[in-house]
């Protein structure tokens, strides 16, 4: 595959691989392909989700040792969508209040290692890359609160659930990076 630009995002955690990708995308022409090198396992789902929400084409990813190589083709201007945060957002503090209710589900879309280290008690672990296939495990009659590290992956996840017909979805921002409530590890 002919690659027009290589972006080094090794050693960076979410959301930085996407931030670097977005900035680099402005430097190539429509139809050209970018290779993004990353070591963050979460970037597998992040790249695919970001490309989907912006209109760029996610070609695929492969592994080279501990480095993930992601390939994205820049869309033509008429294909590009402005990246937008999910409109139904709540703060960490509002989620902490909502945890007192019975009809809620907290979905943690971070990678399993992130979840294992520290998560909100009772949160369901469904990594972003598995959400489309596992959405049926969730009860749409509950209020669903989606959390990740910073609110970026959870925004993509909220859009995914909305596309699948879920109506009671909230993106939690800033997510676990600013969470002061109770946590547990597994």
């Amino acid at each position: 595959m002919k690659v027009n630009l290589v972006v080094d995002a090794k050693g960076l955690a979410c959301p930085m691989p996407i931030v670097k990708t977005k900035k680099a995308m402005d430097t190539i022409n429509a139809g050209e392909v970018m290779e993004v090198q990353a070591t963050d396992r979460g970037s597998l789902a992040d790249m695919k989700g970001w490309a989907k929400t912006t209109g760029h084409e996610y070609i695929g990813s492969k592994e080279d040792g501990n480095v993930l190589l992601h390939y994205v083709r820049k869309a033509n201007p008429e294909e590009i969508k402005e990246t937008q945060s999910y409109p139904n957002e709540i703060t960490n503090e509002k989620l902490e209040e909502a945890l007192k209710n019975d009809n809620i589900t907290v979905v943690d879309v971070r990678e399993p290692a992130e979840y294992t280290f520290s998560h909100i008690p009772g949160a369901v672990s469904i990594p972003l890359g598995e959400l489309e296939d596992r959405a049926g495990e969730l009860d749409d009659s509950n209020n669903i609160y989606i959390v990740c590290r910073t609110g970026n992956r959870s925004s993509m996840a909220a859009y995914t659930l909305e596309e699948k017909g879920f109506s009671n979805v909230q993106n939690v921002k800033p997510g676990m990076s600013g969470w002061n409530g109770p946590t547990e590890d597994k």
Side-chain angles (χ1 to χ4, degrees), residues 25-60:
M25 192 62 77
D26 292 338
T27 68
I28 64 174
N29 298 315
E32 292 184 335
V33 175
M34 177 188 310
E35 174 186 278
V36 181
Q37 302 172 346
T39 50
D40 179 9
R41 301 294 305 170
S43 67
L44 281 166
D46 293 351
M47 285 294 164
K48 187 176 183 181
W50 176 78
K52 182 179 179 181
T53 61
T54 59
H56 298 297
E57 180 187 357
Y58 171 77
I59 298 170

Side-chain angles (χ1 to χ4, degrees), residues 14-135:
C14 177
M16 293 312 296
I18 294 295
V19 171
K20 283 193 88 166
T21 300
K22 185 177 179 180
K23 286 182 181 178
M25 192 62 77
D26 292 338
T27 68
I28 64 174
N29 298 315
E32 292 184 335
V33 175
M34 177 188 310
E35 174 186 278
V36 181
Q37 302 172 346
T39 50
D40 179 9
R41 301 294 305 170
S43 67
L44 281 166
D46 293 351
M47 285 294 164
K48 187 176 183 181
W50 176 78
K52 182 179 179 181
T53 61
T54 59
H56 298 297
E57 180 187 357
Y58 171 77
I59 298 170
S61 298
K62 64 181 184 178
E63 293 189 39
D64 183 13
N66 67 341
V67 178
L68 299 165
L69 306 174
H70 306 288
Y71 298 93
V72 183
R73 182 191 67 81
K74 183 173 182 173
N76 291 314
E78 59 273 4
E79 298 173 290
I80 297 173
K81 301 182 243 175
E82 189 64 38
T83 305
Q84 296 180 359
S85 291
Y86 190 71
N88 299 329
E89 276 185 1
I90 66 161
T91 64
N92 288 1
E93 293 75 23
K94 292 283 187 193
L95 174 58
E96 208 168 344
E97 290 174 27
L99 288 173
K100 298 171 186 163
N101 298 324
D102 291 334
N103 65 337
I104 74 161
T105 302
V106 177
V107 179
D108 191 320
V109 295
R110 297 175 299 155
E111 290 300 301
E114 295 173 283
Y115 175 85
T116 300
F117 181 71
S118 177
H119 59 271
I120 296 168
V124 177
S125 175
I126 304 180
L128 179 60
E130 299 175 16
L131 187 60
E132 283 195 48
D133 294 334
R134 294 181 57 196

